[in-house]
Amino acid sequence: MFLSAFIGGYCIVLLVASAGPAAFQVRVEVQDVRGKEFAEPSKVLVEEWYPKINAALFGPDHPLPYKEVKIIFEPSISQGVWLWRTVIPAYTDGNTIHVNSDYVSKLHQQDPDDFAGMLIHELTHVNQNYGNGGDVGWLSEGIADYVRHKYFAKDIVPRLHLDRNGNLRGFESDRDKGQFATEGYLAGYTVTGGFLYWLEVRKDKDIVPALNRVLRDGRYSAKLFQEKCGAPLDALWREFVAQSKN
């Protein structure tokens, strides 16, 4: 079902769909005209990937955390205050993904494929549904990027992308190298995603679902790395960085 209307100068788009035996709805609301072109592709993507991500993280028989996923395209989104206020492309709150229409419309001109990957990352947060018990930000973001790059983009590798001097490429290159050498996993996102994939390939094939479960249940402890992978977290990280330089 597709409904649209103009209210208060904004285009409001409502898209509702059901998917398979584990029925759920996808609702898209466009508050800024720049987000309109992303509305239908977002609905289709979520319809396909919401149950797929759930199965990857929890197994095929685990129930979906929400019966509705909502996507709101807002004019602009930022976080922080005053001089420390930063524009962000999107964020997820429960079952709702908030998207910065201004940001993604400009980014789409430079990289047409990036929006879909970003949406998969945010949708993973919906599936994670960790609540306060899973407040381990670097790991939550790392798992979301692990899902994005392993299952969706299919471009993940079990190593860091380092230059010939052993430094991170791209926007990560300005990170503090001292702390990065000892606990760089705290960077989250693609850095942690690559680390998790390396652990999966080299140490324990079920490490990501295991971490996901304890985060969901509010039982996370770094001791799990020792139990599953045979070494403390910091030691595993140092081994990962060393192997990434070879």
Side-chain angles (χ1 to χ4, degrees):
M1 179 169 60
F2 180 97
L3 301 172
S4 66
F6 284 92
I7 302 176
Y10 294 115
C11 178
I12 304 297
V13 179
L14 179 65
L15 302 158
V16 181
S18 297
F24 62 91
Q25 295 181 329
V26 180
R27 186 154 62 96
V28 182
E29 179 180 324
V30 179
Q31 299 179 353
D32 185 284
V33 69
R34 290 168 294 185
K36 188 175 181 180
E37 67 176 294
F38 302 100
E40 180 65 21
S42 297
K43 179 184 78 75
V44 172
L45 195 69
V46 171
E47 285 177 347
E48 177 183 357
W49 281 93
Y50 183 42
K52 282 185 176 180
I53 294 170
N54 204 63
L57 290 178
F58 294 103
D61 298 324
H62 194 276
L64 295 169
Y66 300 101
K67 292 299 183 182
E68 179 184 84
V69 177
K70 184 176 180 180
I71 309 165
I72 305 176
F73 288 90
E74 302 175 12
S76 183
I77 301 174
S78 59
Q79 62 182 8
V81 295
W82 299 103
L83 296 176
W84 298 273
R85 197 161 190 82
T86 304
V87 173
I88 59 174
Y91 73 93
T92 298
D93 179 17
N95 68 330
T96 303
I97 300 171
H98 301 260
V99 181
N100 183 337
S101 298
D102 178 58
Y103 186 100
V104 298
S105 63
K106 293 175 181 176
L107 180 63
H108 187 68
Q109 297 175 11
Q110 304 170 18
D111 186 354
D113 297 325
D114 192 73
F115 172 75
M118 183 199 74
L119 190 61
I120 291 294
H121 175 103
E122 297 300 331
L123 181 60
T124 300
H125 288 322
V126 176
N127 285 102
Q128 287 171 321
N129 191 31
Y130 291 158
N132 293 332
D135 189 18
V136 186
W138 65 270
L139 191 49
S140 173
E141 299 297 346
I143 291 174
D145 256 20
Y146 161 90
V147 169
R148 169 181 178 171
H149 291 285
K150 178 182 178 181
Y151 294 103
F152 182 71
K154 297 183 178 179
D155 59 358
I156 200 168
V157 291
R159 58 175 293 136
L160 287 168
H161 291 285
L162 302 174
D163 64 22
R164 65 182 63 185
N165 297 316
N167 298 322
L168 282 170
R169 296 177 182 172
F171 72 94
E172 299 284 355
S173 62
D174 61 349
R175 293 194 182 275
D176 177 72
K177 301 305 185 297
Q179 183 185 24
F180 180 80
T182 57
E183 45 186 9
Y185 51 84
L186 295 175
Y189 299 96
T190 54
V191 173
T192 304
F195 177 48
L196 292 173
Y197 186 58
W198 176 82
L199 291 173
E200 176 184 290
V201 171
R202 300 293 178 85
K203 303 296 181 178
D204 188 296
K205 64 181 179 62
D206 296 318
I207 184 62
V208 174
L211 288 166
N212 182 67
R213 285 192 296 272
V214 296
L215 286 166
R216 175 69 176 272
D217 296 340
R219 298 183 292 106
Y220 170 77
S221 169
K223 293 179 180 179
L224 185 65
F225 289 95
Q226 175 76 59
E227 296 169 3
K228 298 284 288 181
C229 301
L233 176 56
D234 288 359
L236 291 166
W237 173 259
R238 289 193 296 271
E239 183 181 349
F240 171 61
V241 172
Q243 292 191 10
S244 291
K245 294 179 179 179
N246 296 332

